[in-house]
Amino acid sequence: DAGVTQSPTHLIKTRGQQVTLRCSPKSGHDTVSWYQQALGQGPQFIFQYYEEEERQRGNFPDRFSGHQFPNYSSELNVNALLLGDSALYLCASSLEGTARGYSYNEQFFGPGTRLTVL
Amino acid sequence: AQRVTQPEKLLSVFKGAPVELKCNYSYSGSPELFWYVQYSRQRLQLLLRHISRESIKGFTADLNKGETSFHLKKPFAQEEDSAMYYCALYNFNKFYFGSGTKLNVKP
């Protein structure tokens, strides 16, 4: 199992363009979360997908949208790119359900996609 | 609003010295708190969670609700502990991460 995979590794776009990032979850996982990590900052939660629906969303504008496919893979789309969208975008997968009574299930992170907006 | 604060961007200690990475949070309910670690050229990974009350790689973290803190401690730092450490709070399927502390353990 390669774990969580993301593509592409790096991406350069110009302002106003649109971008799509892809994520394949760890084998057996059904939940995908996306994060934006700006330089020198911690990851910021964008949204989470479960059963092909956006289940939870962070404080990001509607320019950020996503999709989850029946095979649990996911895409993150960003429209009308701004310079401030330059960041590392992380995908994390987990398995829904409680484990030993915890509401949290461990998230496994991918290597990230480095997006540069010029 | 939920917030996680890690006041130190960089912490340098010598091998064998005790280390404490600070984390403070703001949350009105009963938080679920975690420490994540990222070693050089590796992915972000879970180090430990407060609910399990376990020690991982010699690290422990105690939740102090009165002080709203979840500091990460290790009595004797090793060079291989050098990494980026993030404190995180989990609530309703959302994670809130701190800005991270880079731990540098010198030989």
Side-chain angles (χ1 to χ4, degrees):
Chain A
D1 180 18
V4 179
T5 60
Q6 292 185 243
S7 63
T9 306
H10 296 88
L11 204 50
I12 299 176
K13 292 285 188 179
T14 56
R15 278 180 298 174
Q17 285 190 310
Q18 178 264 344
V19 69
T20 297
L21 311 182
R22 295 177 176 82
C23 171
S24 290
K26 181 177 168 65
S27 178
H29 283 184
D30 57 6
T31 303
V32 173
S33 302
W34 286 92
Y35 296 84
Q36 180 194 66
Q37 186 173 21
L39 203 60
Q41 300 296 318
Q44 299 244 345
F45 177 81
I46 302 175
F47 42 53
Q48 184 181 82
Y49 275 84
Y50 171 65
E51 292 188 337
E52 301 180 48
E53 299 269 338
E54 182 184 292
R55 173 162 71 176
Q56 192 60 277
R57 189 177 183 92
N59 190 25
F60 278 81
D62 292 345
R63 298 187 296 110
F64 289 77
S65 62
H67 190 78
Q68 185 178 35
F69 299 94
N71 67 352
Y72 307 121
S73 67
S74 177
E75 288 181 349
L76 163 66
N77 301 292
V78 187
N79 294 323
L81 284 167
L82 303 174
L83 295 179
D85 295 332
S86 295
L88 181 68
Y89 287 84
L90 296 169
C91 169
S93 74
S94 58
L95 179 62
E96 176 61 12
T98 59
R100 293 181 287 169
Y102 306 154
S103 63
Y104 155 81
N105 288 293
E106 182 176 351
Q107 296 200 24
F108 289 78
F109 282 83
T113 294
R114 173 74 62 187
L115 172 65
T116 302
V117 183
L118 302 177
Chain B
Q2 295 87 344
R3 173 175 282 191
V4 177
T5 304
Q6 293 179 252
E8 304 138 329
K9 280 204 171 298
L10 174 65
L11 187 62
S12 286
V13 301
F14 284 101
K15 176 182 171 181
V19 63
E20 180 179 67
L21 289 87
K22 290 184 168 47
C23 172
N24 289 91
Y25 66 90
S26 60
Y27 180 64
S28 56
S30 293
E32 292 189 55
L33 287 155
F34 306 82
W35 277 98
Y36 276 79
V37 62
Q38 187 167 27
Y39 301 103
S40 179
R41 298 189 200 85
Q42 293 190 26
R43 305 175 183 201
L44 196 59
Q45 59 186 283
L46 177 66
L47 179 62
L48 55 79
R49 65 194 84 179
H50 90 274
I51 284 179
S52 56
R53 303 182 67 81
E54 56 198 345
S55 172
I56 304 293
K57 299 183 179 182
F59 284 97
T60 58
D62 290 320
L63 176 61
N64 186 324
K65 291 186 179 180
E67 295 183 359
T68 59
S69 68
F70 187 56
H71 303 328
L72 183 68
K73 300 177 185 179
K74 185 169 183 176
F76 307 104
Q78 302 299 314
E79 289 181 69
E80 55 265 30
D81 296 329
S82 294
M84 198 73 191
Y85 291 81
Y86 295 95
C87 182
L89 183 153
Y90 177 78
N91 179 40
F92 291 115
N93 299 312
K94 286 188 193 179
F95 263 101
Y96 301 86
F97 281 85
S99 56
T101 297
K102 183 173 183 178
L103 176 63
N104 180 31
V105 181
K106 297 176 282 188

